[in-house]
Amino acid sequence: MVVAPVYTRFAPSPTGHLHVGGARTALFCWALARRARGDGGDGRFIIRIEDTDQARSSDESARGILEDLAWLGIVWDEGPVWVGRLSEPTIPGTDVGSESRPTQIGGDPRGVGPFFQARRVPLYNKYVERLIASGRAYPAFETPREIEALRKEATGRKQTYRYDRSGVPMEERLRRMRAGEPHAVRFVAPEGGVTVRDLVLGDVRYAPGEMDDFVIRKADGFPTYHFAVVVDDETMGVTHVLRAQEHLNNTPRHVALQAALGFRTPEYAHVPLIFNQDGTKMSKRDKAKAARKSFREALGKPGALGTADFARDLGLTPDNLAAFLTGDNDSLEVAGAIARHLGLALPEIEVCDFRAAGYLPEAIVNFLALLGWNPGMKTPDGRDLEKFDAAFVAEHFSLERIGTGNAKFDRAKLLAFNSERIGAMTDAEFVARWRAWAADFEPDLAAKLTDRQLSLIAPAARPRCKTLRDLAAVLRFAVTPDDGFEYDPKAVDKVLRRGEPSGLVMLQAARDLVACTDPFEPASLNQAVERLAAEKGVGMGQVAQPLRVALTGQAVSPPLGETLAVLGRESALARIDRCVRAVSAPSTGAA
RNA sequence: GGCCCCGUCGUCUAGCCUGGUCUAGGACACGUCCCUUUCAAGGACGUAACACGGGUUCGAAUCCCGUCGGGGUCACCA
């Protein structure tokens, strides 16, 4: 069977981090190309950086986006060269926990680059000039401000603004251009209608006269998005354009441009959008919104500091903070500072947010694949097949199975996927992957924990962790100084002061056991505690809880045996003694 | 507002193309119970949807039309 070549591309603009929606689009593009290759055809996945907006683009963003894609295991066959370490299991043939090796992704085997549009300007100019020469495009001299005024006027009359080229005769336009007058270049919109063939949506018809003479080259000499995509998709041999549905209404422009330039029209497939649970668009602004909301609540609390004091604590100027609070800016730095100060987690929007929050790339890939696509298969026991890896997506992906409706991003389900992946790991894998994560996101904590401590706690902690970050929270008690943590007053009251005999008495009894149990390991410690409870004729909880609070300050911790073992005998005794003292001396206050 | 897309449990979806096997299946979330040294995890069970109205047909979640609802887009941003 002859399989037609499938060349796809993901073309982010480097104006920020990689959004989860973009990651999904990239995943689909990747999968479509891989699928073709798996079917014995020629499939390539290309990355192109659309940096024609000089003001907003940055190399740093471009690097970050590539990094995030690589982390997800979405590797590109052609595009900017990225060198880094791939150690995640979504990359076939890579072992988790093994020493990751430097890997190079990208390159230009066909010589169709460069893959940064800013470096392709001469190419665009060639085609712009061709269009002008054939009368399909023309210079325009209005400034953006002037156009904006006209547009405002039109919308004021409840009409859609359309550029009117009849204002200036063509000959005059060309003369002024040759005279060196600054200008943009506009495309002569076709008279007829345009039909877009979409592999997801079907045929979409646009009536004649819907399109106006849009700009194809800005006054700064850079092409607009519409022009650059069309030229690049042609010259890079892209056969299938997968992109978010918000681009659907751009497609007739691209089709018209292709016709005018004598280019092929690639296959199009517009994938549905991803929204927040509340139906709003998922945006990095959500982080600012969340920070603002929490901040206002914190300000409203009795005894709260004033805004000016907060600003000082946050290391911001009051003006800066005020502007943020009124919504005049959505500064991520301010939002982050507020979040750190208030100890709250901002919503994850971008791939790097999920990474920092301790999500696994394979869980994200799995979840994202299911947002708008579904393999339509059943497991042997008749359930819908929805747990799979990237390789599976690459093998089974098809455009026909992309849904048409927009989807809401269900964080709870992602979390469940992540949690299940953690549950399916071996303890060794869990430790190795936590170490890899913590090196980047919890370096201090990681440095203080020994491998022995980690391997002691991992089996008990794993079912309690939905993310890698959760393990950090579980482990924190183990690295605080014995006299350096506070007691949860509610826990102290409930567990140590009440009861008959009181928790404090039980704690004192348990001290002996901690002092002499040998070996000092989870199983033996557990047995010792059980024996004590039996001797005293009380439930396990009456012994375990006082100990737990004494050791961690909290009513919640890993199972007691592990909690003791991780601390070690000396530390455990010190904590018990400190707790006994603190609770016996009421004036000290437990908190 | 113009144009365009969409509409199955709270959410993601299977089923729709090729009407009957759908008293609509699964997953997440939620609830109840079991287990239990805390918190989890685990096990069992359960609540919950074809937006509405017209057609077509012996028969419609599935085909057609309309209404309503949601979304996108209308930049010298991409």
Side-chain angles (χ1 to χ4, degrees):
Chain A
M1 187 173 84
V2 179
V3 182
V6 174
Y7 285 29
T8 59
R9 48 64 166 184
F10 177 61
S13 69
T15 53
H17 296 287
L18 177 64
H19 189 273
V20 286
R24 185 194 58 170
T25 304
L27 175 67
F28 287 0
C29 291
W30 171 84
L32 192 67
R34 282 293 163 115
R35 168 76 199 267
R37 214 187 291 173
D39 289 348
D42 184 11
R44 283 166 193 262
F45 172 52
I46 303 161
I47 297 273
R48 181 172 75 224
I49 305 294
E50 309 220 329
D51 56 351
T52 52
D53 184 341
Q54 293 187 96
R56 296 199 301 148
S57 298
S58 78
D59 287 349
E60 194 193 341
S61 290
R63 268 198 305 278
I65 289 168
L66 297 177
E67 167 78 23
D68 289 341
L69 286 168
W71 179 70
L72 287 171
I74 302 172
V75 297
W76 51 103
D77 305 303
E78 299 180 8
V81 174
W82 179 89
V83 179
R85 288 173 186 277
L86 294 176
S87 62
E88 305 297 351
T90 40
I91 314 297
T94 310
D95 292 328
V96 179
S98 68
E99 279 305 301
S100 58
R101 43 185 210 291
T103 308
Q104 180 170 324
I105 305 177
D108 190 11
R110 290 182 297 143
V112 297
F115 297 96
F116 287 80
Q117 290 184 328
R119 301 218 290 262
R120 297 168 67 83
V121 171
L123 179 70
Y124 306 126
N125 283 338
K126 185 179 103 186
Y127 287 107
V128 168
E129 273 144 33
R130 187 183 291 183
L131 246 24
I132 293 175
S134 64
R136 306 297 300 267
Y138 59 86
F141 304 92
E142 297 82 359
T143 63
R145 282 183 67 121
E146 288 165 353
I147 296 288
E148 186 51 40
L150 289 167
R151 196 189 327 274
K152 248 183 142 175
E153 200 259 334
T155 42
R157 292 197 321 265
K158 287 192 166 177
Q159 287 181 340
T160 304
Y161 172 73
R162 292 226 160 71
Y163 183 81
D164 177 12
R165 80 177 83 108
S166 67
V168 183
M170 279 305 155
E171 282 183 24
E172 188 187 329
R173 290 176 183 276
L174 295 175
R175 196 180 65 241
R176 286 168 68 178
M177 175 177 75
R178 285 187 205 106
E181 199 174 324
H183 62 277
V185 177
R186 285 179 182 268
F187 177 63
V188 178
E191 299 288 325
V194 175
T195 296
V196 173
R197 293 200 57 189
D198 188 280
L199 266 20
V200 171
L201 267 12
D203 284 0
V204 182
R205 270 172 273 275
Y206 293 87
E210 286 293 321
M211 200 183 301
D212 89 334
D213 290 1
F214 57 94
V215 171
I216 58 175
R217 186 172 70 192
K218 302 177 243 180
D220 66 6
F222 279 79
T224 59
Y225 162 73
H226 303 298
F227 197 73
V229 248
V230 165
V231 170
D232 289 343
D233 286 343
E234 169 71 15
T235 55
M236 292 179 181
V238 171
T239 63
H240 292 70
V241 175
L242 270 74
R243 43 158 62 147
Q245 225 174 79
E246 62 194 354
H247 286 296
L248 180 61
N249 291 328
N250 292 148
T251 312
R253 294 196 182 97
H254 302 168
V255 171
L257 237 21
Q258 286 149 4
L261 287 161
F263 292 169
R264 306 160 290 122
T265 290
E267 304 282 1
Y268 284 101
H270 288 92
V271 303
L273 269 17
I274 300 175
F275 294 98
N276 287 313
Q277 280 293 289
D278 63 2
T280 56
K281 215 170 170 178
M282 265 183 110
S283 146
K284 54 188 137 196
R285 294 217 181 105
D286 294 342
K287 292 189 222 174
K289 267 194 256 170
R292 260 197 289 272
K293 184 160 171 279
S294 303
F295 191 76
R296 289 216 187 86
E297 280 164 10
L299 273 185
K301 282 192 186 136
L305 295 169
T307 310
D309 296 320
F310 260 122
R312 198 190 50 233
D313 281 6
L314 297 173
L316 303 165
T317 67
D319 287 353
N320 202 336
L321 181 59
F324 177 81
L325 290 176
T326 54
D328 288 351
N329 73 59
D330 288 327
S331 163
L332 256 34
E333 287 79 65
V334 179
I338 290 173
R340 274 192 300 281
H341 191 265
L342 262 31
L344 81 135
L346 261 19
E348 298 90 8
I349 305 293
E350 287 142 337
V351 170
C352 55
D353 299 333
F354 290 95
R355 184 177 183 178
Y359 285 84
L360 308 169
E362 63 269 41
I364 296 175
V365 162
N366 189 173
F367 178 75
L368 248 24
L370 243 14
L371 235 44
W373 179 77
N374 190 289
M377 297 180 193
K378 301 283 183 191
T379 59
D381 61 343
R383 297 166 192 248
D384 288 2
L385 179 66
E386 53 176 25
K387 296 293 164 62
F388 45 73
D389 59 11
F392 176 90
V393 180
E395 188 181 348
H396 297 283
F397 188 76
S398 75
L399 262 16
E400 297 83 63
R401 294 206 61 87
I402 292 182
T404 49
N406 293 333
K408 286 176 183 165
F409 193 90
D410 186 356
R411 291 167 186 283
K413 186 155 181 168
L414 203 214
L415 194 59
F417 272 39
N418 204 61
S419 160
E420 192 182 294
R421 294 283 176 166
I422 288 177
M425 287 177 189
T426 62
D427 292 325
E429 199 179 327
F430 182 51
V431 169
R433 293 192 65 169
W434 186 81
R435 279 260 185 233
W437 173 85
D440 287 334
F441 301 104
E442 284 285 354
D444 295 345
L445 178 60
K448 285 181 191 158
L449 285 163
T450 62
D451 284 343
R452 183 184 138 70
Q453 282 180 307
L454 231 29
S455 57
L456 219 39
I457 211 83
R462 208 153 51 80
R464 275 147 246 261
C465 292
K466 291 177 189 292
T467 65
L468 295 174
R469 185 173 283 291
D470 285 348
L471 180 59
V474 167
L475 282 168
R476 193 143 274 127
F477 79 91
V479 301
T480 54
D482 293 337
D483 57 357
F485 62 92
E486 297 185 343
Y487 300 102
D488 174 5
K490 268 198 268 176
V492 168
D493 190 51
K494 182 179 175 192
V495 168
L496 286 161
R497 295 224 162 91
R498 294 208 201 134
E500 190 52 50
S502 77
L504 185 59
V505 172
M506 298 308 296
L507 179 60
Q508 280 163 326
R511 189 193 188 282
D512 295 339
L513 156 174
V514 171
C516 62
T517 298
D518 193 69
F520 204 76
E521 279 168 12
S524 49
L525 287 161
N526 233 352
Q527 282 163 15
V529 175
E530 269 169 10
R531 238 179 290 128
L532 176 63
E535 274 169 30
K536 300 275 176 188
V538 297
M540 183 74 170
Q542 296 216 49
V543 183
Q545 284 306 85
L547 261 175
R548 202 182 302 281
V549 173
L551 298 171
T552 70
Q554 305 290 319
V556 175
S557 87
L560 205 54
E562 278 79 2
T563 302
L564 282 163
V566 163
L567 289 170
R569 194 190 311 272
E570 196 182 329
S571 177
L573 287 173
R575 290 180 184 211
I576 291 169
D577 292 341
R578 174 183 174 230
C579 183
V580 169
R581 258 179 296 160
V583 177
S584 309
S587 57
T588 319

